Amino acid sequence: MAISTLPERPRAVLVGVQLPGVSDEEHAADFAELRRLVHTLGYDTVATVSQKRTRLATGTVLGTGKLKELAALTGGPGVISSGASDRTSKAREKWEAAANAEPAPEDGAAEAEADDVEPEDALPPPPSGEDDEAAPRPTVVVVDHELSPGQLRNLEKATGAVVLDRAGVIVDIFHRHAKSHEARMQVEIARLNYLAPRLRESTGGRERQQGRGAGDSALELDRRRIRDRLAELRAGLAAIQKDQDHRRYARRDLLRVALVGYTNAGKSSLMRALTGSTVLVADQLFATLDTTVRAMQPETRPRILVSDTVGFIQKLPHDLVASFRSTLDEALEASLLLYVVDASDPTWAAQLEVTRTVLREIGADAVPSRLLFNKADRLDAAAKEALLAQHPDALMLSAHLPDDVAMLRKRIIAFFESSMVEADLVIPYSQQGRISEVYEHTTVVSQAYDESGSRLRVRGLPGAIAKLTQLFQG
């Protein structure tokens, strides 16, 4: 009987350039994060190629030496071969030299460019042996930088592998994980914006532009289709966002808490613990993309709504930030932001700054906030004390410990109660059918009756009480 086996996952090589101002720890953290992104996308990382440079090489990101080292892993030629005929002009030769980004220094520029040159004798010898022959070569190269269409094409020629940049990986992950109609539309907008300038670099792109007649080329037709599709998506998304705005407007008088933070910091776990909802919890990047809004359980009076927003990440493509602007508006319109941080991650400070930077861009930095160090069960006592010494007002907790979740719930309630006031409301008997609105937006301390109607002593936010007073006096 034949035994079926699962297909082997594609093998990938990670490529990164450590630029000036990036520490070794930050560079290692970038690689670790890229490895997780690649794993989420379905690839296994089998090797990494890194280089310190003052800038990215214009045509190939890496210098010639490191490019050959990368090509040795993938089985590529290690140089940029032109698909055109052998006839080349001096201008063409000069362009190819510039594309390799290793021009011979002139006029005393040797010292300035010394950091960019990777000497051949500094490279480790290529791997050899039976294991190397047995293992299949990597078929994917993932670069930890955003690449231009020309750089993508040049690296594919030099390595003979499929080349992805960080932005492309993130967009593809979003594309796979989008579930709701709104999220799928948001991701498709970002994906088309990413693909549009790269159309001419696709396989067969050059041939498709040859033999133009009086009409448009196939490339121009593709670009027109993308423009039309983008217009259609934006119109559809605007309609959905209008509906979302109406829903947010209906919730304007409710107490709202938004969980914000880096991807995989544990926001969804906290959401489940606080609300009893069944949102997806998975140990992977961008497991959830849709904003979920649920009432905190056990329910309070007035009700407190908790929303789980999309996670952030280093170098998040701008098109994705723009597309998910409506999702981020949940944070902008919240009464309280809870910054969820993975306390066990050594780069938590940089991750927190990424979150704050994105929220600052949409104006949400003015919303009151509290800092939560999640996954504290993975830390020892000394590490916890060190974190609390840096941030004495932060909360240290684990979303998996009921006592910690109960403590957080009390802190959330206390935050809202600190700004509540007490007032008396008189509800005429003719409007008794609307008394439920009072219970929804305030806490009723006492209730009595007289000839004018129900007299309620309530406790709530000043804005909610003012609106209720106006409602029953109108």
Side-chain angles (χ1 to χ4, degrees):
M1 186 175 80
I3 300 176
S4 62
T5 58
L6 292 174
E8 188 174 346
R9 288 159 58 98
R11 297 158 65 88
V13 180
L14 307 187
V15 175
V17 174
Q18 185 175 354
L19 300 171
V22 178
S23 67
D24 292 344
E25 183 183 35
E26 292 171 337
H27 186 56
D30 281 347
F31 258 129
E33 187 172 88
L34 184 63
R35 185 187 296 268
R36 294 198 65 195
L37 285 168
V38 167
H39 181 77
T40 301
L41 197 56
Y43 302 145
D44 286 331
T45 300
V46 296
T48 59
V49 175
S50 176
Q51 183 179 34
K52 288 186 178 182
R53 291 180 63 91
T54 57
R55 66 181 186 279
L56 298 182
T58 307
T60 56
V61 179
L62 298 170
T64 54
K66 281 293 180 181
L67 186 61
K68 290 178 181 177
E69 180 183 340
L70 174 61
L73 294 169
T74 61
V79 294
I80 304 172
S81 57
S82 173
S85 60
D86 292 335
R87 288 186 306 174
T88 56
S89 64
K90 289 184 178 180
R92 177 71 180 179
E93 290 173 354
K94 186 178 293 186
W95 180 89
E96 288 180 350
N100 282 325
E102 293 297 338
E106 299 175 3
D107 301 329
E111 278 189 37
E113 296 295 325
D115 291 339
D116 287 346
V117 177
E118 185 75 20
E120 293 292 337
D121 57 5
L123 293 175
S128 60
E130 293 180 3
D131 291 341
D132 181 56
E133 291 180 4
R137 290 187 181 275
T139 56
V140 181
V141 171
V142 183
V143 183
D144 191 32
H145 306 277
E146 189 165 350
L147 304 179
S148 68
Q151 288 172 325
L152 277 169
R153 180 195 61 200
N154 290 338
L155 283 173
E156 286 183 345
K157 286 182 177 180
T159 61
V162 175
V163 177
L164 304 173
D165 62 3
R166 185 186 181 94
V169 170
I170 294 174
V171 168
D172 206 357
I173 292 173
F174 269 58
H175 178 67
R176 295 186 185 188
H177 288 189
K179 303 300 181 189
S180 71
H181 184 50
E182 181 186 12
R184 287 197 297 268
M185 293 176 74
Q186 289 168 326
V187 173
E188 189 176 353
I189 288 174
R191 196 160 181 256
L192 290 176
N193 281 328
Y194 175 81
L195 292 175
R198 294 163 174 82
L199 274 182
R200 63 188 179 91
E201 307 302 332
S202 62
T203 303
R206 180 173 300 174
E207 290 78 1
R208 294 174 67 189
Q209 296 180 68
Q210 294 177 354
R212 281 188 68 172
D216 293 332
S217 69
L219 177 64
E220 289 167 340
L221 289 172
D222 282 347
R223 287 177 174 166
R224 183 178 300 171
R225 290 191 192 99
I226 286 181
R227 287 194 300 269
D228 292 343
R229 179 57 178 162
L230 283 171
E232 179 185 350
L233 287 168
R234 289 186 177 118
L237 193 58
I240 292 177
Q241 289 173 355
K242 188 175 181 180
D243 182 58
Q244 294 282 15
D245 289 341
H246 287 317
R247 292 183 186 180
R248 277 195 288 268
Y249 183 76
R251 299 195 301 259
R252 68 193 184 283
D253 295 328
L254 298 177
L255 309 183
R256 289 184 284 172
V257 179
L259 303 176
V260 296
Y262 213 73
T263 181
N264 210 46
K267 299 186 301 302
S268 296
S269 295
L270 271 178
M271 180 75 176
R272 293 190 70 161
L274 285 171
T275 67
S277 62
T278 56
V279 295
L280 174 65
V281 175
D283 185 19
Q284 60 181 1
L285 304 184
F286 305 116
T288 53
L289 298 179
D290 300 303
T291 296
T292 306
V293 182
R294 296 287 186 273
M296 192 166 70
Q297 298 294 335
E299 276 202 20
T300 59
R301 286 291 181 265
R303 265 200 320 172
I304 298 176
L305 300 181
V306 183
S307 60
D308 176 21
T309 60
V310 64
F312 303 110
I313 199 168
Q314 292 273 11
K315 308 171 188 174
L316 190 65
H318 294 296
D319 285 330
L320 279 176
V321 176
S323 296
F324 279 79
R325 181 65 182 261
S326 65
T327 304
L328 299 179
D329 281 345
E330 286 290 341
L332 182 62
E333 298 178 11
S335 313
L336 174 65
L337 294 182
L338 297 181
Y339 284 87
V340 184
V341 175
D342 181 357
S344 65
D345 194 307
T347 62
W348 66 264
Q351 295 179 359
L352 177 60
E353 183 56 31
V354 168
T355 303
R356 284 178 168 162
T357 298
V358 176
L359 292 177
R360 194 181 302 123
E361 290 175 358
I362 66 170
D365 55 323
V367 180
S369 62
R370 295 291 183 271
L371 180 60
L372 306 183
F373 283 114
N374 191 27
K375 306 184 184 182
D377 50 329
R378 302 180 183 181
L379 303 178
D380 57 28
K384 292 179 183 178
E385 289 178 9
L387 285 177
L388 290 176
Q390 286 182 267
H391 299 276
D393 296 329
L395 295 181
M396 189 76 63
L397 55 85
S398 169
H400 300 297
L401 298 179
D403 289 345
D404 287 0
V405 176
M407 177 266 296
L408 174 59
R409 185 178 181 277
K410 288 179 181 178
R411 293 291 186 94
I412 293 173
I413 295 172
F415 168 81
F416 289 114
E417 286 187 341
S418 65
S419 55
M420 290 182 181
V421 296
E422 289 193 5
D424 293 313
L425 292 177
V426 178
I427 304 176
Y429 287 115
S430 61
Q431 292 183 281
Q432 291 296 306
R434 306 190 69 175
I435 198 171
S436 60
E437 295 181 40
V438 179
Y439 280 88
E440 183 177 357
H441 297 294
T442 66
T443 298
V444 177
V445 179
S446 63
Q447 184 173 1
Y449 301 92
D450 59 20
E451 67 279 358
S452 58
S454 299
R455 289 188 174 273
L456 278 67
R457 182 72 175 173
V458 298
R459 180 175 177 80
L461 294 177
I465 290 178
K467 289 179 180 179
L468 289 171
T469 301
Q470 184 179 10
L471 172 67
F472 293 112
Q473 287 180 349

